[in-house]
Amino acid sequence: MQRYFLATTAQIGDTVELPADVSHHLIDVMRAQVGSQIEVVLDNQQAYVATITTVEPAQVTLNEALDSDSELPVNVILVCGLPKTKEKPELIVQKATELGVHQIVFFAAERSVSRWTAEKVTKKLARLQKIANGAAEQSHRQVQPSVHYVKKLTDVLAQFPAQHRLVAWEESAKQGETSALVRELQATQPGETILAIFGPEGGLSETEINQLTAQEVVPAGLGPRILRTETAPLYFMSAVSVWLELN
Amino acid sequence: MQRYFLATTAQIGDTVELPADVSHHLIDVMRAQVGSQIEVVLDNQQAYVATITTVEPAQVTLNEALDSDSELPVNVILVCGLPKTKEKPELIVQKATELGVHQIVFFAAERSVSRWTAEKVTKKLARLQKIANGAAEQSHRQVQPSVHYVKKLTDVLAQFPAQHRLVAWEESAKQGETSALVRELQATQPGETILAIFGPEGGLSETEINQLTAQEVVPAGLGPRILRTETAPLYFMSAVSVWLELN
């Protein structure tokens, strides 16, 4: 069933008018009619089944609350060195949203070839946020992840507090470390926040790794193969789900 | 260090002439010179450090064998219902190769919108194989995964035997099953083969699921969120690595 996020509060039995973009997608694109059912998620992060009662304007009545929960038991913040191309941040945002992320922060890493100028940031973030919102609907999330841009890596740690903090580091794997990620996942309690940092193409610099480890961010390998900058965060998201949802 | 696959056998100290495509990439694109070092993987799936001794023709001498092993302890076969777009099979092949897959089989699922005609198959597979080969070099694999196309799902099981066989099934997750994947990974011994089947957009049909379960393929959920057809195999590959390499 098609799912939409509505920035509103309501009770079972209430009738809610759909905003223009949702109405357009539902009525004009999906050709839904009076009587069709959809799922809506309200401001309380609760999903409901709703029935279309009128199409002009598009309105739905809330039938019942869904008791399924599609959110990870922990909050995950992905922190990614800005990749080279326009497509890679979009891929990270779309896939990480499907995989349950809560916040995605891009930062200008030492080795990031791209930089977002101040004028560009708002437009870039708006586009990425739209991708996150769409992916959240499609994957039947109850939360739309938020997308951020922070210029300096050192500012990220101050702005995004977390009980568990990891940095994906190839050299850690090369030195034979194979258990930091699982150890950290084992130590995580429901409701806590895990923040994981990933380098851009070419990886994080030694200076950046040192800045992070000085603040007790844990270096963790993601297996013996070299993962591209956009693949590593998706590996990490899958690891969180496997460990905390299927184990 | 740049890594290349050479379809040849040789001993430490031997000099090997590089094929035209490798020579072009190494000398013309990467601007490597006499004395530069590269990594090569030979037919024995062993990686070596090698030094360029001449550039015209491009030749290298094998210095030493590398003792790092970047292969998963098990063989993974991904079986994917053919997705709608040209880009999705490419994304699956590239990312699954980084994540350690051994064979990728596309098949025309009941709900696959695309079909590959007999004339198209060779060209499509050649392109996907090239993507796999490039990703295997970049992720420092010792094996180049092979890419296949099989028309019928029922033929896949006969052609690709495996000790462990799973089918990713959304309904399995909806029914509250959360442990089949981990249980199967726990039962897997080094050297064994795991085959995992994924539907196209819209999923596998009930008939297909019944065909598979009749042959004792195990239905497994991949968490409570709905993953796109190209995301599910990458989640699965990450799960195999986390469970068998980091645990």
Side-chain angles (χ1 to χ4, degrees), chain B residues 148-236:
Chain B
H148 308 265
Y149 181 69
V150 172
K151 261 200 215 160
K152 285 169 67 180
L153 176 56
T154 41
D155 293 343
V156 173
L157 295 183
Q159 284 178 38
F160 296 88
Q163 286 93 346
H164 305 272
R165 303 188 301 187
L166 292 164
V167 53
W169 196 38
E170 224 169 274
E171 293 302 321
S172 188
K174 280 191 198 155
Q175 288 161 20
E177 173 275 308
T178 59
S179 59
L181 172 59
V182 164
R183 206 166 49 232
E184 209 61 33
L185 292 175
Q186 271 168 337
T188 303
Q189 300 300 315
E192 288 187 335
T193 298
I194 312 183
L195 178 146
I197 302 168
F198 302 86
E201 292 89 351
L204 295 169
S205 71
E206 214 178 302
T207 315
E208 287 171 320
I209 291 288
N210 290 341
Q211 280 172 350
L212 293 172
T213 52
Q215 298 207 48
E216 293 176 355
V217 177
V218 178
L222 304 179
R225 289 162 300 283
I226 296 174
L227 302 180
R228 286 177 205 230
T229 183
E230 73 278 19
T231 312
L234 310 181
Y235 178 103
F236 175 77

Side-chain angles (χ1 to χ4, degrees), chain A residues 95 138 178 230 235 241, chain B residues 95 228 230 235 241 245-246:
Chain A
K95 300 291 165 233
Q138 194 168 354
T178 59
E230 73 279 18
Y235 178 105
S241 166
Chain B
K95 298 292 166 235
R228 286 177 205 230
E230 73 278 19
Y235 178 103
S241 166
E245 295 184 316
L246 303 189

